[in-house]
Amino acid sequence: MTLDEGMTLDDVLASLFPGGHALERGPFGTVHGTGRLEGGGQIALVGIVDRTPLGVDGALLLASRVLAVIDKGGGVPIMMLVDTASQSMTRRDELLGLNEYLAHLSKSLALAAARGHRTVGVLYGRAAAGAFIATALSTQVLAAVRGAEPSVMDLPSIARVTKLPLDQLERLAQSTPIFAPGLDPMVAVGAVAQIWDASKPLAEQLAALLRQSVEARDRRDEIGLARKGRLLAAGIAQRVAKEAAAGA
Amino acid sequence: MSISWRPHEADWYEASARERIAGLVDPDSFVEFLGPDQRAMSPHLAQFNLTGAFDDGLIVGRGTLDGQAVLLAAQEGRFLGGAFGEVHGAKLVGLLRGARAAAGTGGPKCVLLLLDTGGVRLQEANAGELSISETIRAIVEARLAGVAVVALIGGRSGAFGGGGIITACCSRIVVSQHARVSVSGPEVIETNKGVEEFDSKDRALVWRITGGRTRTLTGGADRYVKGRIRDFRQAAIELMTQAPPFTFETLAAEQRRLAERLQEYGECRDAPQLWRKSGLPEPERIAELSDDAFLAMARTKECKHDAR
């Protein structure tokens, strides 16, 4: 395993759950199962792996797994393991309403959190665009293993759409995290809460994360401000929220 | 002689975001938050040699709709394709958080989202992407607090990318024939998968795959309206009090609804195939029908549901 290649799913699972886990591979690049937490207790596992693009079939299956955990009750925490690509880019997916399927998955994760299930995203590979929003970004707290590669769009594609020279974009990407692909910019803007070190046991890093209290509200804009990656969002949101609530 | 502009009669597609708001809410009831005079502009566009807008392409505020207090946000599709940047997105997130905060103390029971967006603004891609995720969470929390969030779509830029995902997180969705709702835009699919997968220059194809009529017939939209601003206003008035609650039962029903759609139409590659399977007469002609004829058609069974 090298940092460049990131961790494999087996590496991640072995490091996260030395006490054991049961994971089944389903269709469409999905996985589901349970892991045994250090210090007792179980965590429900769902995920999209092997850099599979997320389409209508995969999103619906993942949502059904999340809803099944909620239905069972007991407030079991849920981990979303992520190594996807972008959303599946086909005419079929869009004809069938991919936006509804991705939204359904995102809402299912949000409902789980509202029902008292802790939701933890673990990004150990790639995630981009709509697939990133519907999976990793839909959890309460997102951890990324060093070597993970989140993005909205790669720089050559951004260059094509914005009609700017690639070398100019590459230069700009050095000075601001606001648009550049990659883990460090996503950490700076507040999308990724913490980076995990692959050379140390992930079980300990997960345990430390679970010891922290649950955030009752979405603080990602405040985190982005504290990290100086997103300077305006928190203040703007606060000002508008205040005016909107005052009009009542 | 004075010529009076009648905002209610104006066409949604042709109107600016401000004109849509003026015609949508009760006359003179709109109060803007963080308006253009406050100069809440994007600090990121100059380095790309782009000129900013004083409202960053999103107008937020409150007003009344048929006498009821509402909060609303309108994207200006003509400014950078209505795309989500840092300031633009934060204004929307703030509005929804404010709605949730006020819900317990007699605040507005409805937020109207006049979406008109190509998705993430690539010059601010990370901030835009994250603001979409924050918007989704804020919509869910507002809905949990009992606020109806209603999406109104029929503008030039449609509701693409994260805008499409946000759409399907709302309690209710209103579309016109012009509405295009989708995740990957046709150009993006063509660029990545080739013209034989999706010819983005074939306008009729784009409308069949992503358009308001297809969304309505498959259950991806709750209400189809003719294209005037007053048609959207009437639909918003009716739907703001008929929102499904955000519960396990609602999402379990959505799970069944979306699974049935895959089962019934999962093999379809174009809209007429799907319409034929659903038993509609003359599926090849759906796109040509007048709005009145379309509205008069027998609905497929999916069209009335609370599973969202």
Side-chain angles (χ1 to χ4, degrees), chain B residues 40-54:
Chain B
M41 299 173 70
S42 168
H44 309 298
L45 295 174
Q47 63 191 350
F48 296 96
N49 304 316
L50 291 169
T51 308
F54 292 155

Side-chain angles (χ1 to χ4, degrees), chain B residues 7-8 21-32 62-65 233:
Chain B
H8 287 49
I21 291 174
L24 186 70
V25 297
D26 299 339
D28 302 320
S29 72
F30 183 65
V31 178
E32 187 169 355
R62 65 182 152 86
T64 62
L65 186 64
R233 173 181 157 87

Side-chain angles (χ1 to χ4, degrees), chain A residues 155-194:
Chain A
L155 282 187
S157 301
I158 293 181
R160 207 164 46 230
V161 177
T162 59
K163 300 185 172 59
L164 288 166
L166 184 58
D167 59 340
Q168 187 191 341
L169 283 179
E170 283 167 347
R171 259 199 323 280
L172 274 174
Q174 300 300 317
S175 61
T176 171
I178 213 73
F179 74 95
L183 182 54
D184 291 319
M186 285 296 181
V187 171
V189 296
V192 174
Q194 43 181 270

Side-chain angles (χ1 to χ4, degrees), chain B residues 52-281:
Chain B
F54 292 155
D55 55 19
D56 204 35
L58 185 82
I59 301 151
V60 289
R62 65 182 152 86
T64 62
L65 186 64
D66 202 27
Q68 302 293 309
V70 294
L71 293 166
L72 64 160
Q75 294 180 305
E76 179 48 72
R78 292 183 285 199
F79 174 68
L80 299 177
F84 283 80
E86 180 178 4
V87 171
H88 180 115
K91 287 169 78 173
L92 180 55
V93 170
L95 185 83
L96 289 157
R97 288 181 184 166
R100 180 217 186 181
T105 55
K109 290 276 173 280
C110 177
V111 181
L112 303 171
L113 302 186
L114 290 63
L115 300 173
D116 195 356
T117 184
V120 170
R121 189 186 295 170
L122 291 176
Q123 293 84 357
E124 312 176 25
N126 297 338
E129 175 100 347
L130 186 46
S131 77
I132 285 166
S133 175
E134 289 168 331
T135 298
I136 291 171
R137 200 175 293 184
I139 288 173
V140 166
E141 290 181 356
R143 289 185 61 184
L144 282 166
V147 176
V149 183
V150 179
L152 308 174
I153 304 165
R156 284 161 190 275
S157 294
F160 282 96
I165 304 175
I166 286 172
T167 299
C169 290
C170 292
S171 327
R172 293 289 185 203
I173 301 164
V174 181
V175 297
S176 67
Q177 182 171 19
H178 285 301
R180 289 165 300 144
V181 183
S182 170
V183 187
S184 309
E187 293 85 0
V188 176
I189 298 178
E190 183 183 318
T191 302
N192 282 280
K193 293 295 177 65
V195 69
E196 48 301 325
E197 178 65 26
F198 207 146
D199 181 355
S200 66
K201 297 205 176 50
D202 184 343
R203 281 170 58 90
L205 174 68
V206 172
W207 251 266
R208 286 200 306 275
I209 300 292
T210 71
R213 291 189 177 181
T214 293
R215 295 293 173 242
T216 303
L217 289 171
T218 53
D222 301 293
R223 183 68 64 90
Y224 180 92
V225 296
K226 292 158 91 172
R228 294 163 305 183
I229 294 177
R230 70 175 170 124
D231 301 315
F232 279 91
R233 173 181 157 87
Q234 192 55 42
I237 290 170
E238 288 168 26
L239 291 177
M240 70 177 165
T241 54
Q242 300 173 22
F246 193 85
T247 60
F248 178 81
E249 290 67 29
T250 297
L251 289 191
E254 182 167 64
Q255 181 78 32
R256 288 191 295 274
R257 176 172 74 82
L258 296 178
E260 276 172 25
R261 187 189 301 168
L262 278 195
Q263 221 159 40
E264 287 175 33
Y265 307 126
E267 305 303 317
C268 296
R269 289 261 306 152
D270 200 349
Q273 276 177 295
L274 192 151
W275 296 332
R276 181 173 296 110
K277 275 194 157 203
S278 71
L280 289 175

Side-chain angles (χ1 to χ4, degrees), chain A residues 70 73-78 109-119 140 214:
Chain A
I70 301 174
V76 179
I78 300 171
L109 286 163
L111 179 72
R115 289 289 199 88
H117 298 265
R118 265 194 108 147
T119 61
Q140 286 169 305
V214 186

Side-chain angles (χ1 to χ4, degrees), chain A residues 37-157:
Chain A
L37 291 169
E38 291 286 88
Q42 300 247 317
I43 189 165
L45 305 175
V46 292
I48 175 143
V49 303
D50 298 337
R51 300 189 171 171
T52 315
L54 184 60
V56 289
D57 310 278
L60 189 67
L61 184 53
L62 289 178
S64 77
R65 303 291 184 205
V66 174
L67 291 174
V69 175
I70 301 174
D71 197 29
K72 223 169 154 187
V76 179
I78 300 171
M79 177 180 286
M80 170 66 78
L81 294 155
V82 180
D83 176 23
T84 172
S86 104
Q87 69 274 8
S88 176
M89 293 184 183
T90 73
R91 201 163 92 174
R92 169 182 177 261
D93 283 278
E94 294 301 347
L95 174 65
L96 291 169
L98 180 60
N99 68 309
E100 288 182 89
Y101 290 80
L102 296 183
H104 179 63
L105 174 55
S106 186
K107 286 185 286 187
S108 297
L109 286 163
L111 179 72
R115 289 289 199 88
H117 298 265
R118 265 194 108 147
T119 61
V120 180
V122 175
L123 176 67
Y124 68 94
R126 289 188 187 163
F132 188 30
I133 289 174
T135 59
L137 287 177
S138 292
T139 56
Q140 286 169 305
V141 56
L142 174 58
V145 180
R146 177 59 76 189
E149 300 172 69
S151 63
V152 179
M153 196 182 260
D154 60 274
L155 282 187
S157 301

